[in-house]
C-alpha cells in the first residue's frame, strides 16, 4: 500500500488546481482519475457541439500569468476539443502529469480513526493511504437516463452525451433520436440534423434558450486580453458570479414599452451570461418583469420556427426566465425548420419503453439506428455519493446526506475528517472555476496551516456546518431556480428535494471562509 499526504480524486479543472497547490506546498501527492485523460467534463463530454458558455479566457486558470500567456483561445466560447487541449497544456506546463494515475476509478474511501488517515481503493487494484483526501469529482459527472425499461435491449448504437466516445459517431443517412433538450441536447441537435436522414427529438420540458453569441477571437483582440490580464483577474476576483459582464442598475418598468422592446432585442443577441447579469436589475425578483421578457422570447421563438405547433412546444410553460439553468444555443430553433427533424413531447405522449429497434411512446413506436441520451446528470451529490465514502464510525456519506447534502461552504462535512470536496454541492451558479478557486485556495491553506501547527485532523464543527446549512435553507427561497430544476435534484427519480447550490453566492462563501481564517482555523482542528 502506497502512502501520500494529499490524494486528489478527479482530473478536472478543480482537481488539477488542487494538485498544483499541494505540489507547490511540498506535500507528497497523487491524483486518481477514472478516465485516460485530463479535463473532467471536457474529457467525457466530447459530443458534437459541446462548448463553453463562459468566456474562454475567463474560464481557464488565472493563478499564473505565465500560464495564461502561454495559451491563446481561438473563440469567445471554446469547443470541447480546444477545452480538452487546454487542460492537457496546463497539466504539462505545470509539470503535473507524473502525479496523475489514469484508469483508476475510486471505489472506496474509508476513514481510519486510529491513524486519522483515509484508505482509498481504486478499480485498477491499487490502494493508497492518505492523510488528506480532496474529492474534486465535479457536479456534472454522473450521467442519468430516463426511467423507462428496455434500454439495454436496443440493438442499434446508443450513447449518453456525458459518456461520449472518442471516435466520432457516424450519423450519415441514419435514423437518429435525441432524448432531452437541456444544455447538452440543444448543442448536439443542430449538429446531428445536418447529417442524419431523420432526427426525432424527445422533449419533456422546453427551456428558455437564447443565442450564445460565439465568435472567433482575432490576434489583435487577444493581444489586448493579454495586456489586460491583471485588471481582468482583479475584476473576476471581485465578481459575484465570476464573469466580466457589468450589472445594470435600471429596472424594467422604468423604461417605456418601446424602450423595453429595443433593450430586449439587444439582450437577445448579447453574449452568453450577459443575458442574466446585464439585464434589468429586477429581472430575477419582479415576476411581471420576468414575464414581460419571457413574452418577448416566446415571440422570437414563434418568429424563428416555421411550424406554429412546433413553436408552441418549444416555449416553456413551467418556469420563467432562469427558473432553470438557461441554455445558450447556435441555430437551435432554426433546426426545427428542416424537413428531416421532428419534435415529440413526452408530456403529451410519454415514453413507455425502449425496444430492440427504437423507442415506444403512448402514440406508438418509432424505429432508429442511433439513440443519443442527452438526459442530464445527477447534479451535485451524484459522484460523491457513489465513491464509497465512510467517515467516523463507518458512517456512509450517502446516509449522512440522505435528505440532501450537509456541508460547510460546500467543502466539508462533520464526521468526515480530512475529507474535502471543492466544486461539489452547495457551490454557486456562475463561472465555476472562479468560484472553485476560492474553495481550492481555502483547502490548500488549511492543510498547510495544519501541517505547520502539527495537527493531524481537520474537521468542521457541527454548529459551523449547521449555520451554513441554515443559510442555504433560508436563502434558497429567494433563488430564481425553482424546485423543478436539477439544482433541486428534480431530474433524478427518488432524489430528495434539497437546494444543491449556495444561494448566497461568492460573497457569502468568502465571508464564512474569511471568518474561519480570521479565527486561525482553531475550531477545525481536533
Amino acid at each position: 500500500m502506497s502512502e501520500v499526504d494529499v490524494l486528489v480524486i478527479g482530473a478536472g479543472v478543480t482537481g488539477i488546481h488542487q494538485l498544483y497547490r499541494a505540489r507547490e506546498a511540498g506535500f507528497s501527492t497523487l491524483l486518481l482519475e477514472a478516465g485516460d485523460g485530463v479535463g473532467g467534463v471536457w474529457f467525457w463530454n466530447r459530443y458534437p457541439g459541446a462548448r463553453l458558455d463562459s468566456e474562454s479566457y475567463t474560464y481557464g486558470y488565472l493563478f499564473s500569468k505565465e500560464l495564461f500567456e502561454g495559451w491563446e483561445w481561438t473563440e469567445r466560447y471554446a469547443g470541447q476539443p480546444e477545452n480538452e487541449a487546454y487542460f492537457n497544456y496546463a497539466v504539462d506546463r505545470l509539470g503535473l502529469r507524473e502525479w496523475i494515475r489514469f484508469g483508476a476509478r475510486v471505489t472506496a474511501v474509508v476513514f481510519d480513526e486510529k491513524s486519522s488517515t483515509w484508505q482509498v481503493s481504486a478499480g485498477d487494484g491499487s490502494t493508497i493511504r492518505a492523510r488528506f483526501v480532496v474529492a474534486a469529482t465535479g457536479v456534472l459527472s454522473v450521467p442519468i437516463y430516463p426511467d423507462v425499461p428496455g434500454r439495454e435491449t436496443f440493438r442499434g448504437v446508443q450513447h449518453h452525451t456525458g459518456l461520449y466516445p472518442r471516435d466520432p459517431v457516424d450519423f450519415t443517412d441514419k435514423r437518429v433520436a435525441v432524448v432531452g433538450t437541456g444544455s447538452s441536447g440543444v448543442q448536439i441537435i443542430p449538429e446531428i440534423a445536418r447529417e442524419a436522414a431523420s432526427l426525432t427529438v424527445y422533449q419533456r420540458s422546453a427551456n428558455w434558450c437564447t443565442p450564445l453569441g460565439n465568435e472567433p477571437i482575432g490576434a489583435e483582440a487577444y493581444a489586448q486580453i493579454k495586456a489586460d490580464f491583471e485588471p481582468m483577474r482583479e475584476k473576476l476576483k471581485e465578481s459575484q458570479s465570476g464573469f466580466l459582464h457589468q450589472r445594470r442598475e435600471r429596472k424594467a418598468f422604468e423604461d417605456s414599452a418601446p424602450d423595453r422592446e429595443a433593450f430586449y432585442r439587444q439582450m437577445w443577441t448579447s453574449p452568453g451570461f450577459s443575458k442574466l447579469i446585464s439585464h434589468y436589475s429586477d429581472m430575477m425578483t419582479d415576476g411581471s418583469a420576468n414575464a414581460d421578457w419571457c413574452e418577448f422570447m416566446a415571440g422570437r421563438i414563434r418568429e424563428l420556427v416555421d411550424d406554429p405547433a412546433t413553436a408552441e412546444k418549444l416555449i416553456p410553460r413551467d418556469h420563467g426566465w432562469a427558473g432553470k439553468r438557461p441554455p445558450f444555443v447556435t441555430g437551435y430553433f432554426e433546426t426545427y425548420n428542416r424537413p428531416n427533424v421532428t419534435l415529440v413531447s413526452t408530456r403529451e405522449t410519454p415514453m413507455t419503453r425502449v425496444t430492440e429497434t427504437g423507442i415506444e411512446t403512448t402514440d406508438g413506436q418509432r424505429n432508429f439506428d442511433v439513440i443519443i441520451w442527452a438526459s442530464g446528470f445527477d447534479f451535485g451529490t451524484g459522484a460523491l455519493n457513489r465513491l464509497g465514502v465512510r467517515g467516523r464510525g463507518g458512517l456512509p456519506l450517502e446516509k449522512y446526506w440522505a435528505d440532501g447534502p450537509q456541508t460547510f461552504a460546500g467543502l466539508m462535512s462533520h464526521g468526515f475528517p480530512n475529507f474535502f470536496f471543492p466544486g461539489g454541492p452547495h457551490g454557486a451558479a456562475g463561472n465555476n472555476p472562479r468560484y472553485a478557486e476560492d474553495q481550492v485556495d481555502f483547502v490548500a491553506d488549511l492543510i498547510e496551516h495544519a501541517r505547520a501547527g502539527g495537527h493531524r485532523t481537520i474537521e468542521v464543527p457541527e454548529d459551523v456546518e449547521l449555520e451554513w446549512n441554515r443559510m442555504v435553507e433560508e436563502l434558497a427561497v429567494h433563488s430564481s431556480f425553482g424546485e423543478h430544476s436539477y439544482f433541486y435534484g428534480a431530474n433524478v427519480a427518488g432524489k430528495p428535494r434539497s437546494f444543491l447550490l449556495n444561494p448566497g453566492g461568492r460573497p457569502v462563501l468568502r465571508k464564512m471562509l474569511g471568518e474561519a481564517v480570521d479565527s486561525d482555523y482553531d475550531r477545525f482542528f481536533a
Side-chain angles (χ1 to χ4, degrees):
M1 182 188 303
S2 58
E3 297 187 9
V4 296
D5 297 323
V6 180
L7 178 74
V8 180
I9 304 171
V13 58
T14 305
I16 293 169
H17 190 181
Q18 197 77 66
L19 177 64
Y20 171 75
R21 283 295 312 265
R23 295 298 308 164
E24 287 293 289
F27 288 107
S28 60
T29 59
L30 180 65
L31 187 152
L32 299 180
E33 165 58 42
D36 60 9
V38 302
V41 67
W42 299 112
F43 172 83
W44 297 103
N45 290 259
R46 52 182 69 250
Y47 59 86
R51 70 175 55 249
L52 284 167
D53 53 17
S54 301
E55 283 72 17
S56 307
Y57 45 88
T58 71
Y59 185 87
Y61 298 120
L62 301 180
F63 55 78
S64 164
K65 185 176 182 180
E66 181 183 6
L67 185 69
F68 182 85
E69 292 184 336
W71 181 267
E72 291 194 2
W73 296 98
T74 64
E75 296 180 275
R76 173 182 278 170
Y77 302 108
Q80 182 276 329
E82 187 170 1
N83 296 327
E84 185 182 9
Y86 169 77
F87 287 108
N88 276 283
Y89 153 78
V91 163
D92 292 332
R93 187 71 175 260
L94 297 170
L96 299 177
R97 195 170 294 273
E98 66 177 297
W99 312 109
I100 302 175
R101 182 179 298 168
F102 296 105
R105 183 178 295 277
V106 170
T107 57
V109 185
V110 180
F111 186 64
D112 177 62
E113 297 190 50
K114 185 176 181 180
S115 63
S116 292
T117 60
W118 291 89
Q119 182 170 309
V120 180
S121 303
D124 65 352
S126 61
T127 304
I128 303 97
R129 185 174 298 278
R131 173 69 59 192
F132 304 104
V133 172
V134 182
T137 50
V139 291
L140 297 172
S141 51
V142 177
I144 60 168
Y145 298 84
D147 187 21
V148 293
R151 185 167 50 84
E152 70 286 351
T153 68
F154 181 62
R155 293 200 306 246
V157 174
Q158 59 175 322
H159 298 289
H160 194 288
T161 51
L163 292 172
Y164 210 78
R166 189 182 295 272
D167 295 331
V169 178
D170 183 12
F171 298 111
T172 306
D173 298 328
K174 299 291 197 305
R175 300 166 298 173
V176 183
V178 171
V179 181
T181 56
S183 295
S184 299
V186 299
Q187 288 183 330
I188 198 173
I189 285 166
E191 302 291 330
I192 294 175
R194 287 192 282 270
E195 298 181 25
S198 67
L199 170 61
T200 303
V201 177
Y202 289 86
Q203 173 185 269
R204 181 183 61 180
S205 301
N207 283 286
W208 290 114
C209 301
T210 56
L212 176 62
N214 191 30
E215 62 183 7
I217 303 176
E220 185 177 340
Y222 210 86
Q224 188 61 52
I225 289 171
K226 286 185 175 181
D228 292 340
F229 172 74
E230 294 293 352
M232 180 187 75
R233 180 165 63 177
E234 289 307 307
K235 286 181 182 178
L236 289 169
K237 281 183 178 180
E238 296 305 315
S239 168
Q240 292 188 24
S241 54
F243 291 103
L244 294 174
H245 307 300
Q246 297 299 304
R247 293 190 177 276
R248 182 178 174 87
E249 298 302 324
R250 196 168 181 81
K251 295 182 179 180
F253 295 110
E254 290 177 350
D255 281 346
S256 65
D259 286 345
R260 289 199 308 277
E261 172 81 11
F263 180 68
Y264 288 159
R265 289 190 177 277
Q266 176 187 333
M267 278 288 96
W268 177 263
T269 57
S270 67
F273 277 93
S274 64
K275 297 180 185 69
L276 281 85
I277 299 166
S278 303
H279 219 307
Y280 286 120
S281 61
D282 57 348
M283 186 53 59
M284 307 302 177
T285 56
D286 185 328
S288 297
N290 196 294
D292 195 50
W293 166 240
C294 289
E295 185 55 38
F296 171 85
M297 289 189 291
R300 292 293 293 127
I301 295 169
R302 294 183 182 109
E303 290 173 10
L304 291 168
V305 179
D306 294 341
D307 177 57
T310 299
E312 293 306 310
K313 289 180 182 178
L314 292 168
I315 296 171
R317 310 292 179 185
D318 62 349
H319 67 284
W321 173 240
K324 296 181 180 180
R325 201 260 197 216
F328 302 105
V329 298
T330 301
Y332 173 64
F333 292 116
E334 296 88 335
T335 297
Y336 291 96
N337 297 331
R338 301 178 67 100
N340 63 329
V341 178
T342 303
L343 179 64
V344 175
S345 168
T346 58
R347 290 195 184 277
E348 295 174 3
T349 56
M351 194 179 296
T352 54
R353 66 181 179 130
V354 180
T355 70
E356 291 183 352
T357 57
I359 295 175
E360 182 183 281
T361 69
T362 55
D363 192 37
Q365 175 165 312
R366 289 177 173 85
N367 292 331
F368 301 108
D369 305 301
V370 183
I371 299 175
I372 300 298
W373 301 97
S375 43
F377 300 88
D378 186 349
F379 180 84
T381 56
L384 290 166
N385 277 341
R386 290 167 171 81
L387 280 182
V389 179
R390 300 294 180 264
R392 290 191 185 278
L395 176 64
L397 182 65
E398 63 270 26
K399 182 176 181 180
Y400 189 61
W401 287 1
D403 296 322
Q406 304 297 308
T407 83
F408 165 69
L411 275 176
M412 313 162 65
S413 285
H414 180 72
F416 300 84
N418 298 350
F419 181 77
F420 311 92
F421 39 90
H426 290 170
N431 191 3
N432 187 59
R434 303 285 68 84
Y435 183 92
E437 70 187 354
D438 293 341
Q439 296 180 310
V440 166
D441 287 339
F442 178 82
V443 171
D445 293 344
L446 179 56
I447 290 174
E448 289 180 43
H449 195 84
R451 178 178 61 184
H455 303 289
R456 298 199 320 159
T457 304
I458 302 171
E459 184 172 5
V460 60
E462 194 169 9
D463 65 306
V464 174
E465 178 182 280
L466 183 63
E467 180 186 2
W468 174 270
N469 285 279
R470 187 180 297 118
M471 178 278 296
V472 171
E473 185 176 347
E474 290 175 355
L475 295 186
V477 297
H478 302 295
S479 169
S480 66
F481 301 118
E483 293 193 13
H484 42 262
S485 165
Y486 67 68
F487 293 135
Y488 274 91
N491 62 323
V492 181
K495 187 168 183 172
R497 295 296 178 263
S498 172
F499 198 54
L500 298 169
L501 295 175
N502 162 18
R506 214 172 177 188
V508 171
L509 172 74
R510 286 180 164 177
K511 176 181 180 292
M512 291 199 172
L513 295 184
E515 290 173 355
V517 173
D518 292 342
S519 68
D520 213 24
Y521 308 101
D522 282 345
R523 297 196 61 208
F524 288 79
F525 300 127

